[in-house]
Amino acid sequence: MIRRVITFAALAMVIIVLGGAALVIFGPLVVAPRLATPLAEQAAQALGRAVHVSSVAVTLFPAPAVRLKGIEIADDATFGDTPFVTLDRADIRVRLTELLHGDVVLDSLVLRQPHVRVIQNADGRVNVESLGQTQPGTPETAQTGGGASEAAALLGTRVQVEGGVINYLSQDAADVWTEYDVEDVALTLTAGSTVAFEGTGRLQPGDVGIDIADGTVALDGAPKIGDAPMRARMTLNARDITDLAAAVLGPGPAINGGAKGALAVAGTLAQPTASGSIEMPGVALTRTSPQCHEPQRRTLTLSTLKAAAAWEDNRFIGRPVTAELTSGTVTTNLVVVAFDRSVRIELGDLTVTALPLEKVLVDYFCEGHAVTGPLDLTGALSFNAGAASSTLSGVGQLRIGRGQVVGPQALDLLAGIVRVGGAVSALLSADLPWSLFSSPLDFDSITATYQIANGALTVRDLRYDSGAMRISGGGRYTFATDYLDLDLVVNHGRGLVYAKVTGPADSPSIHVMPTTILRDLDPGKIGHGVEDFFRKLF
C-alpha cells in the first residue's frame, strides 16, 4: 500500500514539465495554431518521451493566458504503447507587467484532470525510471534528452494539479496483474531547481485519504527525472480498510476498521521509501464458519494494532507490530512481500503473552479440538496469503496455563483412547470413568515445542498435566489434509496406556496397548513430539 501512496505526488512532476515548456516558446510565437508542435517538441526533449498537443489557444483578456488541450505523453516503449500521461487541458497564465516589457514570466500553471499510468513489471522496473532518457522512436527533436536539470529549467514559480488520477499496475512473475488508483489528486507546487510540493488524494480500493506536506524534489543535477531525490511528510487516514485488505491479502477473513498513519518519505521519484507509524484502533476480523452454531458469521476484535512501519526494496516491514486482545498481546517483526502469485507474510521474533484462547478457538473459530486458557508462545511463522495450509512454516515453543479441554472432537479423542479394547476399558474405568469426557475437562498446563514445514506440523515433547492424567508423546499433523499420526502415552495414576492415533482428525483410528504390557517401560522413552498432537488437539 505504501508504494502506491507515495508515488502520486512525485509523478505529478513529469506533467508539470509539459506546461513549463511553454515559457521557452511563448514569447517569440504569437499565432495559436503554430504553438502546438514546438511546444510538444520542447516538452519531449525534456522528458525523453514523445509528446502530442492537440490544440493551443491564446487569450489576452482578462489576463494573458495559453490553454493547451488534448495532451499525451508516450510511455517507455518497453512498457507498451498506451500513453504514460493524458491531460484534459493545461491553463498557463503570464504576468501582464513583465509581458509589457517584453518578458514572459509564468504567473500560474493549472493542470486539469491529468491521468498518469504507472507500471511495475515482473522484474521490478517501473516506467517512471527512464524519464529524461532518450527512448527508441522518440522524435529527433527529443533525442538530446535534457534530463531532470532541463526539466527544472522549464518550470515556472507555481503549479496546481486538479482532479488528477494515478493508475498503478503491478505484474508478478506469473504474469498476474494487480491494480490500484489514487483519485482526486490535488497538488500545489512551487517550482525551481528544487520543487516544493504539497497535496491530497485518495487511494482506491480502500478510500485511504492521503495528505502530503513539506515535499521537495531536487531536480537539479539528477541525470534523469526518475533519479531525482525526494522527501516529504505524509499522513494517512482510512475510515475502513476492508476493500484494501481484500485486494492485498485476498478473500477472508474480512478485515474491518479504520487506520491512520504518519510517514516520512525519502528515496527517489522512481524508487521511493517511507518510514513511520501506522495505527488501527478496533480492528475486527470477520469470517463465516460452517462448523459454528448460529451465528456462523463470527468476529474477533483486537482492541488495537500498531506498527513501526517502513517501505523499502518493494517490501512492507513492521518492526515491531503489536496487537492487543483483551488482556493478551502479540508482538512480532512483520515482513510482507509479493511472492509469485501471492503475498508472502513473515512473522519473526513472534511473542504471544496471555492470549485468551477461548476468544480465538471457541468464540471465533468454533474449533472442535479447542481448549481454553492463556497462551504464551515464542517462535516464528511464515506463509503465503490465501494458501496458509500448504505453505505454513515455522518453529517455536508454547505453554497454555490452567484451562479446559472444551472441543467435542478433543473430548471424543481422549475418551476413545481409554475406551478402545474391552480389557483396557475395564482396567481404566475405575481411574478414568467415561463420563469424565462428556463435559469440559480441566487441566493444569499444556507445554510443547513445534516445527512446521510446508503445512506439516511436527511435535516432539508435548506434556499435558491434569489431576486425572498426564499425557506425553508426539507425532505429525498435516493441515491441508487434516491428517493425524500420533504416538501418545497416558499416565492415569495406576498405570500407563500407549495409544497410536492415525487418520482424519475428526474420525481417527485409535489402537491401544494396555498398561500390563507397558508397566516396565520408561514413559519418557516412549515417543517424542506430542506437540503435533497438541497443536491439533488443542
Side-chain angles (χ1 to χ4, degrees):
M1 178 184 77
I2 293 180
R3 180 180 180 87
R4 284 79 171 171
V5 169
I6 62 181
T7 51
F8 92 92
L11 292 174
M13 296 300 305
V14 301
I15 52 179
I16 294 168
V17 174
L18 180 63
L23 295 178
V24 178
I25 58 173
F26 182 67
L29 295 176
V30 178
V31 182
R34 297 170 55 190
L35 288 172
T37 298
L39 178 59
E41 291 174 352
Q42 291 289 333
Q45 183 172 348
L47 294 172
R49 304 272 180 93
V51 177
H52 174 74
V53 179
S54 294
S55 65
V56 180
V58 177
T59 61
L60 297 178
F61 300 99
V66 176
R67 172 165 292 178
L68 298 80
K69 289 187 176 182
I71 304 165
E72 290 187 358
I73 301 174
D75 205 347
D76 184 327
T78 60
F79 289 86
D81 55 7
T82 302
F84 171 55
V85 174
T86 58
L87 184 61
D88 180 55
R89 77 174 194 260
D91 294 326
I92 304 170
R93 293 187 181 276
V94 296
R95 295 177 182 173
L96 179 59
T97 304
E98 284 78 2
L99 186 63
L100 294 176
H101 290 84
D103 297 322
V104 179
V105 178
L106 182 70
D107 181 61
S108 66
L109 169 61
V110 181
L111 307 178
R112 303 185 189 277
Q113 298 180 341
H115 186 284
V116 184
R117 188 169 182 263
V118 183
I119 303 174
Q120 182 177 33
N121 62 19
D123 62 9
R125 287 189 62 241
V126 183
N127 61 343
V128 180
E129 295 179 16
S130 60
L131 282 169
Q133 289 182 326
T134 299
Q135 299 294 318
T138 303
E140 184 176 351
T141 53
Q143 294 297 307
T144 55
S149 295
E150 182 170 341
L154 296 179
L155 296 177
T157 57
R158 187 173 180 84
V159 183
Q160 289 180 287
V161 177
E162 298 179 354
V165 174
I166 296 175
N167 178 227
Y168 180 90
L169 299 104
S170 178
Q171 179 191 30
D172 66 17
D175 198 31
V176 175
W177 291 85
T178 56
E179 183 173 355
Y180 302 86
D181 290 319
V182 181
E183 302 174 348
D184 301 326
V185 175
L187 289 171
T188 300
L189 303 101
T190 303
S193 59
T194 297
V195 179
F197 64 92
E198 60 183 12
T200 60
R202 301 203 71 82
L203 176 66
Q204 302 292 355
D207 198 30
V208 180
I210 305 166
D211 288 274
I212 291 182
D214 299 331
T216 62
V217 178
L219 294 174
D220 193 22
K224 56 183 185 292
I225 294 174
D227 293 334
M230 66 173 295
R231 65 175 179 82
R233 289 189 298 107
M234 179 179 297
T235 57
L236 312 176
N237 195 341
R239 290 187 294 271
D240 192 342
I241 66 165
T242 302
D243 293 340
L244 178 61
V248 175
L249 301 176
I255 302 177
N256 314 107
K260 57 183 179 180
L263 302 171
V265 180
T268 65
L269 290 179
Q271 296 293 333
T273 63
S275 60
S277 62
I278 295 176
E279 182 175 354
M280 299 175 61
V283 183
L285 310 178
T286 302
R287 67 193 297 267
T288 299
S289 302
Q291 69 268 27
C292 291
H293 298 297
E294 293 295 340
Q296 292 187 330
R297 186 172 176 83
R298 300 296 180 98
T299 297
L300 179 69
T301 301
L302 307 178
S303 54
T304 186
L305 189 151
K306 299 179 181 179
W311 174 266
E312 58 185 46
D313 298 328
N314 291 323
R315 299 182 303 163
F316 173 80
I317 301 171
R319 291 195 178 127
V321 175
T322 301
E324 297 180 357
L325 175 63
T326 60
S327 58
T329 61
V330 178
T331 303
T332 187
N333 290 331
L334 171 68
V335 176
V336 180
V337 61
F339 181 80
D340 197 17
R341 288 179 178 266
S342 183
V343 175
R344 185 70 173 172
I345 299 174
E346 300 174 358
L347 305 174
D349 298 325
L350 177 62
T351 301
V352 179
T353 304
L355 186 71
L357 288 179
E358 182 175 5
K359 296 285 187 182
V360 180
L361 298 182
V362 180
D363 297 341
Y364 184 58
F365 285 107
C366 308
E367 174 59 54
H369 296 85
V371 299
T372 67
L375 170 66
D376 296 324
L377 180 148
T378 58
L381 289 172
S382 63
F383 57 93
N384 292 359
S389 62
S390 59
T391 62
L392 186 66
S393 297
V395 296
Q397 298 178 324
L398 58 85
R399 182 184 187 279
I400 301 175
R402 187 179 299 276
Q404 292 182 318
V405 180
V406 295
Q409 289 176 281
L411 291 168
D412 287 346
L413 180 57
L414 289 175
I417 292 174
V418 301
R419 289 175 182 170
V420 173
V424 175
S425 297
L427 177 66
L428 296 179
S429 61
D431 300 312
L432 296 176
W434 297 348
S435 60
L436 182 67
F437 304 96
S438 62
S439 59
L441 189 64
D442 294 332
F443 61 82
D444 297 322
S445 66
I446 301 171
T447 60
T449 61
Y450 64 85
Q451 180 176 356
I452 311 172
N454 298 320
L457 170 67
T458 301
V459 182
R460 302 187 184 280
D461 57 359
L462 172 69
R463 184 181 177 94
Y464 168 99
D465 287 311
S466 73
M469 60 182 162
R470 176 182 299 164
I471 301 174
S472 61
R476 185 179 176 89
Y477 170 70
T478 305
F479 289 96
T481 59
D482 204 29
Y483 190 86
L484 291 170
D485 185 2
L486 308 175
D487 296 291
L488 305 176
V489 178
V490 181
N491 186 334
H492 59 88
R494 294 194 304 177
L496 306 175
V497 173
Y498 169 76
K500 179 73 173 178
V501 181
T502 58
D506 59 352
S507 58
S509 297
I510 302 172
H511 301 281
V512 172
M513 185 179 297
T515 306
T516 53
I517 299 176
L518 298 178
R519 62 176 177 264
D520 296 326
L521 298 182
D522 180 356
K525 297 180 180 179
I526 303 176
H528 297 282
V530 174
E531 281 93 348
D532 187 32
F533 171 72
F534 166 78
R535 189 67 176 172
K536 180 57 184 178
L537 186 59
F538 309 110

